[in-house]
Amino acid sequence: MSRDYYIAGNWKMHKTRSEAAELAKALVTQLKDGKHKYLVAPTFTAIETVAAIVKGTNIRLGAQNCAAEEQGAHTGEVSVLQLKDLGVQTVILGHSERRHVYKEDDALINKKVKLALQHGFEVILCVGELLAEREAGKAEAVCETQTVKGLEGVSAADLSRVVIAYEPVWAIGTGKTATPEDADAIHAYVRKVIGKLYGADAAAKIIIQYGGSVKADNAAQLMAKENIDGALVGGAALKADTFVPIAKFG
Ligand code: 13P
């Protein structure tokens, strides 16, 4: 089964509104004829600005997180209702920085996944092991647990709006990329986990992105692997000059 490639830029906590607008405009122009599926996920404060620029183009609009509740007394949080109001289509959840720096656990991430799906969003669920976990031979087990717990209670119908991003924590922002073979092995394993949960057809269809020091010079080798269907790009997504060659790989 052929799956469409999906290249996403996670801008993390970078860019003022004017900087975000400049990048979004450059991407709209330069990816106009791009063949793949694209997404940018600006920081919350720049979402509205970027929304006006990517609206009606082939670039989807993402957010990097959302609250686990629709509304209420949750100081500092941003809700799915507010994201929907801005035109956000996709929410990235369970990013390793949320898991490890801000201590989000699988139960909280699962609550967010279900809420975002219930509100019609596409969800990019991030999974990935720490270096110590990889060295202890636990990479598959960690990714399996994060996948199973992250998707607990998600229906087969809603799974069609879920993308998994495999982001080994040791490869994020470090310049160390997983080899295409190592990444593909985890992707194949996660696909098998999806197969156990939702059946062979869902496993064959689900998009699994790779993230962790993806650059123009390694994107094509990674994407050539059978189970790697796209990329979730951090550092290299911050400039059109470095993101466009990844987005137009091949
Ligand atoms: P880098 O591409 O900077 O390694 O970041 C990857 C990432 O965390 C994307 O979500």
Side-chain angles (χ1 to χ4, degrees):
M1 138 127 17
S2 72
R3 294 175 293 267
D4 292 334
Y5 286 107
Y6 189 1
I7 313 292
N10 173 7
W11 296 357
K12 305 193 180 182
M13 198 177 69
H14 293 283
K15 297 192 185 292
T16 60
R17 285 175 300 162
S18 63
E19 290 163 350
E22 191 188 345
L23 175 56
K25 281 181 197 159
L27 295 180
V28 165
T29 309
Q30 295 177 47
L31 293 181
K32 204 167 53 216
D33 57 348
K35 293 192 287 284
H36 311 305
K37 181 174 171 183
Y38 302 122
L39 171 113
V40 293
T43 192
F44 287 131
T45 55
I47 289 178
E48 188 169 15
T49 303
V50 172
I53 297 164
V54 300
K55 193 172 181 188
T57 72
N58 61 344
I59 303 176
R60 296 174 66 85
L61 182 64
Q64 302 168 17
N65 190 17
C66 69
E69 307 291 338
E70 269 178 15
Q71 59 191 327
H74 298 282
T75 302
E77 294 289 298
V78 176
S79 102
V80 282
L81 303 177
Q82 294 158 339
L83 296 178
K84 207 187 284 188
D85 186 42
L86 296 178
V88 168
Q89 298 156 293
T90 303
V91 186
I92 298 171
L93 293 170
H95 191 278
S96 73
E97 287 142 25
R98 301 301 322 169
R99 290 179 189 271
H100 298 292
V101 184
Y102 297 99
K103 309 296 175 206
E104 293 193 9
D105 63 13
D106 286 312
L108 180 70
I109 293 162
N110 174 248
K111 210 169 162 190
K112 295 181 178 195
V113 167
K114 285 190 290 195
L115 187 65
L117 288 170
Q118 185 192 321
H119 282 273
F121 291 94
E122 174 182 82
V123 166
I124 299 179
L125 172 64
C126 303
V127 302
E129 81 285 359
L130 297 162
L131 183 58
E133 292 166 335
R134 170 155 287 259
E135 286 172 346
K138 291 184 185 154
E140 289 183 347
V142 168
C143 293
E144 176 163 10
T145 301
Q146 292 176 351
T147 302
V148 171
K149 292 195 170 171
L151 295 176
E152 211 170 277
V154 170
S155 70
D158 281 352
L159 187 79
S160 64
R161 282 183 286 116
V162 174
V163 169
I164 307 277
Y166 169 55
E167 298 204 312
V169 182
W170 48 272
I172 296 176
T174 58
K176 285 186 208 150
T177 321
T179 64
E181 291 69 29
D182 285 348
D184 192 56
I186 298 286
H187 284 229
Y189 188 78
V190 170
R191 204 176 289 290
K192 210 165 75 184
V193 170
I194 296 292
K196 270 194 271 177
L197 295 172
Y198 295 96
D201 192 47
K205 281 188 184 143
I206 196 159
I207 301 295
I208 308 180
Q209 299 172 324
Y210 169 79
S213 299
V214 176
K215 307 276 182 263
D217 62 7
N218 59 25
Q221 290 111 288
L222 287 159
M223 299 307 132
K225 289 291 172 191
E226 187 183 338
N227 289 290
I228 303 182
D229 310 315
L232 183 54
V233 186
L238 295 175
K239 287 188 188 147
D241 284 359
T242 48
F243 187 65
V244 170
I246 298 172
K248 289 187 161 178
F249 79 90

